[in-house]
Amino acid sequence: MNYSNFNLEDFVLDETFQRWVKQPDPQNQVFWEDFLRTHPQKRELIEEARKIILVLKFKRVDPLPEEYEKVLQGILKSQPKTRVLSNKSRLYRSLAAAVSLLILASLVFVYLSRPSEIKYLTRSCETQKIMLKDGSVVHLNANSVLYHYDNWNGSIDREVWLKGEAYFEIKKSLSGKQKFIVHTKELDVEVLGTKFNVNDRRGITQVLLNSGKVQLNIHNSPTTKQITMNPGDLIEYSSLHQKISQKIIKKDIYSTWKENRLVFDDVSLGKVAQRIEDNFGYKVIFKDPKLAELRFTGATPANNLDILLKVLEGSFELKIQRLKQEILIQE
């Protein structure tokens, strides 16, 4: 992008920008002093921008998107030219310059004041127990990522983002009003205090509620947008088919992985293969696709693939081979 021709007015009117720009704090002396020190030749415009910021309000709900960070860095390196029509008055030109600097100041403030990201991740055959700042506990399953921002201050909702699988033990906020929200690609889980399991893989998001009550906000469903869950409910949403399924199940089966146990209750070998891929990082191949339809009931340690494969071999008289990062299953 040629930042010297970048149109700041168009940029600040961008819908995404409007969503996440935070209201600048005009009393933040450090910010303004640093800005003046960096741009001493623009003192008058900076003072004007500061006055305008007193009456403008922006709301920031998300971190600065990566592409906007790049734009910001470019703007800081090269003050953009504001397009001014030749037949406009001197007043318009002065206002345009002040507004441009205001936008620049707002961008810099957002960049400097945005909260930092705290990230947790696990690899194949690895789980992690996480104690969050509010006292909530998260058990993160293998090959998963969880992150949040360090701006939890007791007055805003507690938000985390999950890719993979995790079991949550949520503690109520001190005021009892701050929600705990788990964001996945396809839906959000809103709670006040409860225990539940979230599995977000392969375009399918699965939520199991162990205790308490949660509300699901589904992003792209053409019909159902919100679902309230009760203990024992299992909700599964497929983004590919835009299909929602709901059933009551045995609660402990879907979250035993956090106790280092894999429990299968009359599930297909195809589902077992998916669990192997998710937890151990192997690609499972059935030489005969009909083998994936066999039903399996059993339990094995969650961190020992060898035991699971031996149990499957003995249960169905199968031959199972490991080939680098692939597992071949045949009769």
Side-chain angles (χ1 to χ4, degrees):
M1 178 179 289
N2 183 355
Y3 295 102
S4 63
N5 295 321
F6 187 75
N7 187 348
L8 277 172
E9 285 115 327
D10 289 345
F11 181 65
V12 78
L13 292 176
D14 180 271
E15 183 177 345
T16 305
F17 178 84
Q18 292 285 344
R19 286 182 58 245
W20 54 250
V21 177
K22 183 181 181 180
Q23 178 179 345
D25 180 2
Q27 305 305 319
N28 190 330
Q29 296 296 329
V30 175
F31 164 69
W32 290 108
E33 290 172 2
D34 287 347
F35 201 84
L36 282 168
R37 191 180 302 111
T38 306
H39 303 278
Q41 74 282 11
K42 303 184 187 299
R43 175 174 294 274
E44 291 184 7
L45 283 176
I46 290 174
E47 291 296 339
E48 192 66 25
R50 184 177 181 180
K51 293 176 183 177
I52 299 175
I53 283 179
L54 286 170
V55 296
L56 288 184
K57 292 183 179 180
F58 298 94
K59 183 179 181 182
R60 177 183 180 186
V61 297
D62 292 317
L64 190 67
E66 181 179 353
E67 61 270 23
Y68 285 0
E69 284 192 29
K70 295 177 181 177
V71 171
L72 173 60
Q73 293 300 326
I75 294 175
L76 292 177
K77 291 178 182 178
S78 175
Q79 172 68 20
K81 297 178 181 178
T82 303
R83 294 184 299 178
V84 181
L85 300 178
S86 58
N87 62 344
K88 295 298 181 180
S89 66
R90 181 178 301 175
L91 176 61
Y92 176 85
R93 292 196 297 270
S94 299
L95 180 60
V99 170
S100 293
L101 188 51
L102 162 63
I103 298 168
L104 176 60
S106 300
L107 283 168
V108 174
F109 187 87
V110 169
Y111 181 76
L112 293 176
S113 63
R114 67 194 185 107
S116 59
E117 180 181 283
I118 300 174
K119 180 179 289 188
Y120 308 90
L121 57 87
T122 53
R123 298 177 176 83
S124 297
C125 199
E126 177 188 10
T127 61
Q128 186 177 166
K129 183 178 179 180
I130 304 164
M131 178 70 74
L132 299 178
K133 181 180 178 180
D134 67 335
S136 298
V137 177
V138 180
H139 301 266
L140 193 62
N141 205 355
N143 291 318
S144 301
V145 178
L146 179 84
Y147 70 90
H148 65 87
Y149 296 92
D150 64 350
N151 59 347
W152 292 7
N153 56 19
S155 62
I156 62 174
D157 290 337
R158 302 160 290 171
E159 298 179 85
V160 299
W161 285 258
L162 172 68
K163 183 177 181 180
E165 184 173 16
Y167 183 86
F168 296 85
E169 301 174 11
I170 305 305
K171 187 174 182 179
K172 280 191 175 183
S173 63
L174 294 178
S175 67
K177 297 180 179 179
Q178 277 68 52
K179 299 176 185 175
F180 192 103
I181 304 175
V182 181
H183 298 281
T184 70
K185 184 177 180 181
E186 304 301 337
L187 56 82
D188 301 329
V189 185
E190 291 188 11
V191 302
L192 286 175
T194 186
K195 298 179 181 180
F196 58 97
N197 194 84
V198 181
N199 192 335
D200 178 44
R201 305 183 195 268
R202 295 184 178 84
I204 296 177
T205 304
Q206 189 182 79
V207 182
L208 166 68
L209 180 60
N210 279 51
S211 64
K213 182 179 290 187
V214 306
Q215 176 178 286
L216 304 187
N217 299 317
I218 301 175
H219 299 165
N220 298 313
S221 172
T223 53
T224 306
K225 296 296 184 182
Q226 289 187 338
I227 298 176
T228 299
M229 297 180 62
N230 295 308
D233 284 351
L234 175 70
I235 301 293
E236 188 172 277
Y237 174 69
S238 170
S239 60
L240 177 62
H241 302 99
Q242 293 189 327
K243 181 181 178 181
I244 301 171
S245 63
Q246 181 173 3
K247 56 185 177 181
I248 300 175
I249 49 84
K250 298 177 182 177
K251 295 181 289 185
D252 58 337
I253 291 178
Y254 285 80
S255 56
T256 54
W257 58 263
K258 65 185 177 63
E259 300 162 357
N260 195 33
R261 292 191 305 131
L262 291 180
V263 178
F264 303 96
D265 183 18
D266 190 31
V267 300
S268 68
L269 285 193
K271 291 291 186 181
V272 177
Q274 288 182 0
R275 178 60 77 174
I276 291 174
E277 292 179 347
D278 293 341
N279 283 27
F280 300 98
Y282 284 86
K283 174 67 176 177
V284 179
I285 300 173
F286 291 95
K287 191 169 183 179
D288 182 351
K290 290 184 179 180
L291 294 176
E293 300 174 6
L294 296 173
R295 312 296 294 185
F296 175 64
T297 297
T300 66
N303 61 353
N304 195 318
L305 178 59
D306 289 331
I307 292 179
L308 175 56
L309 296 182
K310 287 179 180 178
V311 170
L312 294 178
E313 281 184 325
S315 299
F316 301 99
E317 297 184 356
L318 298 172
K319 181 180 180 181
I320 301 178
Q321 295 175 288
R322 288 199 209 186
L323 306 171
K324 294 184 179 180
Q325 287 304 110
E326 294 181 344
I327 293 177
L328 177 63
I329 300 178
Q330 56 188 322
E331 290 183 296

